[in-house]
Amino acid sequence: MKKVKLRAFWESQSVANRNKILLELADKCHNSIQTVRAWMLEYRKPQGLYRDALAEYLKDNFQVEITE
């Protein structure tokens, strides 16, 4: 499994993948798209269950582990 920083992973994705990730994580975490985008750009850090949901989603769908 590849280990990368969240922002580096985000920047490596195509626009179509970014939109898909935003929509799916916003729905899964019951947050706005702007909040999820802030997480992906590392302006804010997801806390608690949101962090776990984000890590699980990326691991299941992209085989990526996020480093701090």
Side-chain angles (χ1 to χ4, degrees), residues 25-47:
L25 281 174
D27 184 51
K28 184 174 186 166
C29 295
H30 305 288
N31 272 309
S32 70
I33 291 172
Q34 289 80 13
T35 298
V36 176
R37 184 177 289 123
W39 294 344
M40 302 308 276
L41 293 172
E42 295 184 337
Y43 296 147
R44 287 190 256 164
K45 291 189 177 198
Q47 300 297 317

Side-chain angles (χ1 to χ4, degrees), residues 56-67:
E56 180 182 326
Y57 175 82
L58 294 177
K59 183 178 178 183
D60 291 344
N61 294 296
F62 296 96
Q63 292 73 44
V64 169
E65 187 175 327
I66 300 303
T67 60

Side-chain angles (χ1 to χ4, degrees), residues 3 5 12 19-20 22 29 34-36 43 49 54 66:
K3 293 184 179 185
K5 288 196 139 297
S12 72
N19 290 335
K20 179 183 173 202
L22 288 174
C29 295
Q34 289 80 13
T35 298
V36 176
Y43 296 147
L49 294 175
L54 173 65
I66 300 303

